[in-house]
Amino acid sequence: RLRASPKALEEAKAFADGLAALRAQTLEFATSASTKADRRQLDRAVSKHLLQITATKSQVRQKTADLLALLMSVRDVHQAYVMQQICTKVCAPGLRHAADLH
């Protein structure tokens, strides 16, 4: 079991709630057969940038700028889907342990 401060637990819950809201907002887009090509294109773009992040501060800044540019290049449900994918791939793995926190 992991231990965490009440503030850390509150922040983890807020993140989990926000991610759940994004997933609800993008549910139709994420599951529709007609949007599969769009999803594949967005997933590739997100994955490409995340895989290119390395340990140097300048490279992390560059990939952050690239991800922000991707987010700003799409609108509406596509933008929400990109944000959900980034959160899922970067932040959500840490939430798997949130259930064990107390």
Side-chain angles (χ1 to χ4, degrees), residues 21-31 35 38-39 42 71 74-85:
L22 277 174
R23 285 184 175 147
Q25 182 180 352
T26 62
L27 181 63
E28 184 178 334
F29 177 78
T31 58
T35 61
D38 287 341
R39 286 194 317 269
L42 293 171
L71 268 172
V74 293
R75 295 282 174 248
D76 303 321
V77 72
H78 292 122
Q79 191 174 52
Y81 183 78
V82 168
M83 180 57 86
Q84 180 233 313
Q85 287 299 302

Side-chain angles (χ1 to χ4, degrees), residues 65-99:
D66 292 346
L67 285 167
L68 287 172
L70 174 62
L71 268 172
M72 300 310 289
S73 71
V74 293
R75 295 282 174 248
D76 303 321
V77 72
H78 292 122
Q79 191 174 52
Y81 183 78
V82 168
M83 180 57 86
Q84 180 233 313
Q85 287 299 302
I86 292 168
C87 291
T88 298
K89 293 176 186 228
V90 174
C91 305
L95 287 180
R96 291 186 188 124
H97 302 289

Side-chain angles (χ1 to χ4, degrees), residues 5-59:
S5 70
K7 182 177 179 179
L9 290 173
E10 183 179 310
E11 289 173 2
K13 173 133 177 46
F15 174 79
D17 292 346
L19 184 55
L22 277 174
R23 285 184 175 147
Q25 182 180 352
T26 62
L27 181 63
E28 184 178 334
F29 177 78
T31 58
S32 174
S34 65
T35 61
K36 187 174 183 177
D38 287 341
R39 286 194 317 269
R40 186 177 297 129
Q41 182 180 3
L42 293 171
D43 288 342
R44 283 183 187 151
V46 169
S47 293
K48 173 186 145 190
H49 292 304
L50 291 177
L51 288 172
Q52 291 174 346
I53 292 175
T54 60
T56 68
K57 192 182 290 188
S58 65
Q59 290 170 325

